[in-house]
Amino acid sequence: MGRQPCCDKVGLKKGPWTAEEDKKLINFILTNGQCCWRAVPKLAGLLRCGKSCRLRWTNYLRPDLKRGLLSEFEEKMVIDLHAQLGNRWSKIASHLPGRTDNEIKNHWNTHIKKKLRKTGIDPLTHKPLSPAEEHHRPQQQEQKKQDDKTKEPETSSSLKSTITKPKEEEENHPMVKDVEINGFCTDEVPLMEPHEILVPNCPPSTSSSSPSSSSCHSSMFLEELQHFPGFDWPSDDYNASNGLSLWNDDFNIWDLLINEESDKRLPLDHSLSSPQMGFDQDSRQHELF
DNA sequence: AACCCGAACAACCGCAGCCGG
DNA sequence: TCCGGCTGCGGTTGTTCGGGT
């Protein structure tokens, strides 16, 4: 059929996003809303493909994202939902406000899988591992990988079937059904429930050295952002809350925006240090914990 | 101090599904 | 009904960083 590539790859930038690019993307979406991702890079003046822009926005820049490690409760939910839905990360993510499919997928692969194996549970089937399996875990894993690639393993075929037959499967799972009946079918729900929204406490002036102090500025700024035409806030509650979880743990690109867009009315005490991202991503992610 | 290795996470790739013409 | 474009999804890869030797 001669499918068109998602974008003209010639001359397009790949790899990590810079602060400058983030800024451009955010600025664009704030003024124009989310529309036609293919056109976004051109209009926003980015040398990226639309797909890359969408991914960056949904996985990283979106204001309603929670950052940081998944809580115990979230982890448990992921496990439960994975047992029900299989590797349908977007579905799983939609039950966890503020979390992205990518984040959950990564967390699953790096943390939860291991945890489950440690406790003797097969992360694929959610059934107890046989002693023999446990004994040969590493080899087993490798074997499984190979198996997955070459044939349909017995264990995963059931999950596979959940992927190819989502409707049937979901109808057979009371929990999922329930969840959807309760209006939690996620493609339509705001990603964050009002009660889930973390209200960043403006730290006292003494903590001004902490980079997290900037989150207050973010929420002030975002309050004003509500008036941006076309900016698609998830819900009224969300707007009204003023308690956006928006990277409330540390500095983020929104601060950069605030700094620029608000005519530098708010002194920011952090510096942009990372050569790659324009800010210190790791300190942002890890300082909290 | 240098190197290696594994963990963690961001980003990319390719396919499937949806939708409008 | 078919076709083509666009978006979303899931799997995979790439990069960075920290700990161990």
Side-chain angles (χ1 to χ4, degrees), chain A residues 115-151:
Chain A
K115 261 193 190 175
L116 288 177
R117 286 206 182 95
K118 255 189 187 172
T119 54
I121 294 170
D122 185 348
L124 267 181
T125 59
H126 294 264
K127 289 173 186 167
L129 287 162
S130 72
E133 280 172 331
E134 280 192 73
H135 192 255
H136 299 100
R137 232 174 269 155
Q139 297 95 315
Q140 169 100 8
Q141 270 177 254
E142 273 316 301
Q143 187 57 48
K144 203 151 233 167
K145 265 191 179 175
Q146 291 304 316
D147 285 351
D148 284 347
K149 284 185 178 170
T150 51
K151 60 172 180 140

Side-chain angles (χ1 to χ4, degrees), chain A residues 26-42:
Chain A
I26 292 172
N27 272 334
F28 179 81
I29 293 177
L30 289 185
T31 35
N32 301 286
Q34 294 177 55
C35 66
C36 191
W37 285 110
R38 188 170 262 238
V40 166
K42 263 190 185 174

Side-chain angles (χ1 to χ4, degrees), chain A residues 12-265:
Chain A
L12 288 185
K13 196 165 172 258
K14 282 165 68 174
W17 281 64
T18 63
E20 187 63 29
E21 289 175 310
D22 282 344
K23 213 165 58 171
K24 281 183 182 176
L25 181 57
I26 292 172
N27 272 334
F28 179 81
I29 293 177
L30 289 185
T31 35
N32 301 286
Q34 294 177 55
C35 66
C36 191
W37 285 110
R38 188 170 262 238
V40 166
K42 263 190 185 174
L43 298 170
L46 289 161
L47 289 171
R48 298 272 182 176
C49 72
K51 215 175 189 178
S52 182
C53 294
R54 180 178 56 80
L55 219 59
R56 182 65 180 169
W57 174 257
T58 54
N59 287 337
Y60 209 82
L61 299 175
R62 234 174 49 193
D64 57 336
L65 290 180
K66 284 183 192 168
R67 308 297 304 180
L69 293 173
L70 271 73
S71 67
E72 289 267 323
F73 174 74
E74 285 175 316
E75 224 170 66
K76 197 174 177 311
M77 256 194 103
V78 170
I79 295 168
D80 284 346
L81 289 164
H82 186 271
Q84 310 271 344
L85 302 167
N87 289 2
R88 285 188 281 162
W89 304 114
S90 62
K91 283 277 174 202
I92 294 172
S94 63
H95 293 286
L96 292 158
R99 301 293 185 183
T100 68
D101 55 348
N102 209 30
E103 193 178 9
I104 290 169
K105 183 170 57 184
N106 282 334
H107 192 78
W108 176 268
N109 287 326
T110 55
H111 294 99
I112 301 178
K113 256 186 178 176
K114 279 183 217 161
K115 261 193 190 175
L116 288 177
R117 286 206 182 95
K118 255 189 187 172
T119 54
I121 294 170
D122 185 348
L124 267 181
T125 59
H126 294 264
K127 289 173 186 167
L129 287 162
S130 72
E133 280 172 331
E134 280 192 73
H135 192 255
H136 299 100
R137 232 174 269 155
Q139 297 95 315
Q140 169 100 8
Q141 270 177 254
E142 273 316 301
Q143 187 57 48
K144 203 151 233 167
K145 265 191 179 175
Q146 291 304 316
D147 285 351
D148 284 347
K149 284 185 178 170
T150 51
K151 60 172 180 140
E152 290 287 325
E154 202 189 349
T155 52
S156 68
S157 61
S158 58
L159 284 175
K160 201 85 183 180
S161 72
T162 72
I163 293 168
T164 51
K165 293 186 273 180
K167 284 231 168 110
E168 292 166 33
E169 190 69 20
E170 278 170 21
E171 278 164 15
N172 291 332
H173 282 298
M175 176 181 169
V176 174
K177 198 175 182 178
D178 201 21
V179 151
E180 294 202 348
I181 286 170
N182 290 336
F184 219 99
C185 185
T186 53
D187 292 341
E188 300 153 24
V189 217
L191 281 165
M192 186 169 282
E193 303 274 21
H195 68 273
E196 294 268 354
I197 294 167
L198 306 173
V199 179
N201 294 320
C202 281
S205 55
T206 52
S207 65
S208 62
S209 61
S210 160
S212 62
S213 61
S214 60
S215 55
C216 295
H217 309 327
S218 298
S219 42
M220 284 174 65
F221 174 55
L222 285 159
E223 201 176 5
E224 292 176 25
L225 286 181
Q226 292 170 33
H227 307 299
F228 264 83
F231 189 63
D232 204 13
W233 294 107
S235 74
D236 287 338
D237 285 335
Y238 182 85
N239 284 345
S241 75
N242 186 29
L244 304 162
S245 67
L246 180 67
W247 292 13
N248 61 342
D249 45 347
D250 218 324
F251 166 67
N252 57 67
I253 188 69
W254 290 79
D255 289 323
L256 193 67
L257 261 177
I258 294 158
N259 203 17
E260 189 171 83
E261 298 292 314
S262 61
D263 205 19
K264 298 186 172 49
R265 62 171 181 254

